[in-house]
């Protein structure tokens, strides 16, 4: 029996074929979003679950009219997931959520500035069950004395926490010194073998950690506002060993400096698969002559292949193909850049009326941006990205289907020569408006398709077989 699966039926890829790259996704229907007042509309962090649902944290007290204090979970279409019951949520003096990290078991670590969750005391860090209830097996005692900004998991289940704090269990006999970074055991207790009592310090005022990344080798990459770690000079970036000692093999030097009236801060840091590091913030990096964003080798030395001149990058991530997504302030914009820093002209610029604070690439390639902006709509938007190819198969393996060249200018070739269990197959080509532009019967070898009469742009090619369907993006240039 023929398996009939169309692109429009895929929840993870709603109407993707009908939206233009880099434009706001009209199918992400979040209504009023995170509210209309300045403190309500602020989304600080976004995490996507393996099932595609989105966890948001920030300053808001509702989302699209549903009470959701500082945390909410959305379905892929943008609607509030009411099965995630946060009740009265996180509260305290000027409460907000800055960090959300998923554990492999589905439990959710949350950090920020709050004093309770659903009325149960939890100072600035808590763990939730997948349904939104408090995980009482995670007990951080009286927690941290100031903000938690970042949470990272080690492979052994221990939890590395970065922020503005200086003490853990701070309401118990003065607390235990932990300067901007600490490590907890999986039950929330302090891991005393990780001695960061003197930790990060700064000559520029308050020191803070914005990002913590546990590398595959167990070393811990830290970015933020600091000038030293345990009295050893380290400006904005440092890497620690698993025992909290400074990793002296990583040294980014004294290249980070003031930009546009700010003391430099590293707001976002991404570890690339090859061990290189891209960090962004409001600094100037003199070694690379870059403003606000720089690529470093695994030892902290500069990779000058990336050349960018931006101001105060507050949200940044890197796609799997190496392209960089970044939002800069003054004016507030969101753009995509090639690996060398050149503007990706295929991806239009998006403008905001306030800061973007976080962005992620969904597992379907679309891009979600959160921040302080108050339109399109409030605090959150999704733009269309490079949605990955879809391989949907029943008995037939589609890994052997070849479509080339892509991009193309005049001819497209469909090669089914190695496809097992081949039977009659057709290809339908539609444009981004959903209009069918051509249809072809495919042979069990190579079928040439003339495309030189088609306008340049993005198309969707759908191959239908007896028991499977394959949908791929095609670019004609």
């Amino acid at each position: 029996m023929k398996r009939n699966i169309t692109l429009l039926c895929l929840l993870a890829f709603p109407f993707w074929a009908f939206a233009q790259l880099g434009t706001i996704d009209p199918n992400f229907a979040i209504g009023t979003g995170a509210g209309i007042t300045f403190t309500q509309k602020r989304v600080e962090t976004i995490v996507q679950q393996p099932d595609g649902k989105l966890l948001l944290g920030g300053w808001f007290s509702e989302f699209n009219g549903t009470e959701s204090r500082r945390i909410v979970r959305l379905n892929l279409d943008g609607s509030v997931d009411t099965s995630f019951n946060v009740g009265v949520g996180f509260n305290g003096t000027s409460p907000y959520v800055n960090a959300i990290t998923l554990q492999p078991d589905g439990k959710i670590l949350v950090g920020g500035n709050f004093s309770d969750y659903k009325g149960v005391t939890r100072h600035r860090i808590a763990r939730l069950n997948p349904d939104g209830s408090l995980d009482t097996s995670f007990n951080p005692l009286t927690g941290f004395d100031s903000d938690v900004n970042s949470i990272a998991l080690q492979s052994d289940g221990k939890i590395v926490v970065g922020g503005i704090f200086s003490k853990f269990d701070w309401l118990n006999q003065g607390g235990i010194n932990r300067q901007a970074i600490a490590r907890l055991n999986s039950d929330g207790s302090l891991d005393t073998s990780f001695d960061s009592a003197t930790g990060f310090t700064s000559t520029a005022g308050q020191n803070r950690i914005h990002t913590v990344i546990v590398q595959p080798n167990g070393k811990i990459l830290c970015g933020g506002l600091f000038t030293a770690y345990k009295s050893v000079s380290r400006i904005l970036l440092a890497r620690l060993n698993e025992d909290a000692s400074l990793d002296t093999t990583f040294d980014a030097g004294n290249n980070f400096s003031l930009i546009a009236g700010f003391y430099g801060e590293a707001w976002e840091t991404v570890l690339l698969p090859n061990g290189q590091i891209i960090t962004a913030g409001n600094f100037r990096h003199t070694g690379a002559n870059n403003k606000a964003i720089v690529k470093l080798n695994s030892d902290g030395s500069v990779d000058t292949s990336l050349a960018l001149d931006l101001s105060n990058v507050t949200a940044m991530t890197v796609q799997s193909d190496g392209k960089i997504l970044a939002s800069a302030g003054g004016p507030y914009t969101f753009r995509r850049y090639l690996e060398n820093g050149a503007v990706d002209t295929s991806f239009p610029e998006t403008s905001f009326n306030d800061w973007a604070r976080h962005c992620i690439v969904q597992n379907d390639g679309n891009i979600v941006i959160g921040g302080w902006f108050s339109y399109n709509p409030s605090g959150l938007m999704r733009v269309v990205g490079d949605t990955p190819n879809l391989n949907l198969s029943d008995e037939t393996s589609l890994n052997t289907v070849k479509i080339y060249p892509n991009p193309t200018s005049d001819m497209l070739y469909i090669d089914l020569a190695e496809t097992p269990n081949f039977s009659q197959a057709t290809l339908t080509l539609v444009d981004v408006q959903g209009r069918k532009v051509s249809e072809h019967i495919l042979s069990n070898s190579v079928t040439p398709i003339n495309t030189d009469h088609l306008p340049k742009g993005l198309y969707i090619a759908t191959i239908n077989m007896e028991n499977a369907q394959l949908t791929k993006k095609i670019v004609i240039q």
Side-chain angles (χ1 to χ4, degrees), residues 41 59 90 157 222 258 289 351 434 469:
K41 70 185 181 184
W59 296 65
F90 291 99
C222 305
L258 185 79
N289 199 29
S351 298
Q469 184 183 80

Side-chain angles (χ1 to χ4, degrees), residues 229-248:
Y229 181 75
K230 292 187 176 181
S231 301
V232 179
S233 177
R234 287 293 185 274
I235 300 176
L236 307 194
L237 282 177
R239 193 166 65 196
L240 311 184
N241 296 311
E242 292 183 76
D243 63 356
S245 62
L246 183 67
D247 177 9
T248 55

Side-chain angles (χ1 to χ4, degrees), residues 18-69:
F18 306 98
Q20 183 180 348
L21 178 68
T23 60
I24 295 172
D25 182 359
N27 303 290
F28 192 57
I30 64 171
T32 57
I36 57 175
T37 67
F38 179 70
T39 54
Q40 282 183 327
K41 70 185 181 184
R42 293 164 70 169
V43 173
E44 296 283 346
T45 188
I46 309 163
V47 171
Q48 187 173 34
Q49 296 185 166
D51 62 3
K53 293 182 179 183
L54 297 171
L55 285 163
L56 311 179
W59 296 65
F60 51 84
S61 58
E62 65 174 47
F63 198 92
N64 196 18
T66 300
E67 184 180 28
S68 301
R69 296 189 189 180

Side-chain angles (χ1 to χ4, degrees), residues 23 36 42 44 85 87 93 98 107 185 190 248 250 278 281 321 380 426-427:
T23 60
I36 57 175
R42 293 164 70 169
E44 296 283 346
N85 182 13
T93 303
N98 280 341
K107 292 184 178 183
N185 297 308
L190 185 68
T248 55
F250 178 85
I278 296 181
D321 61 2
L380 192 73
T426 61
L427 179 141

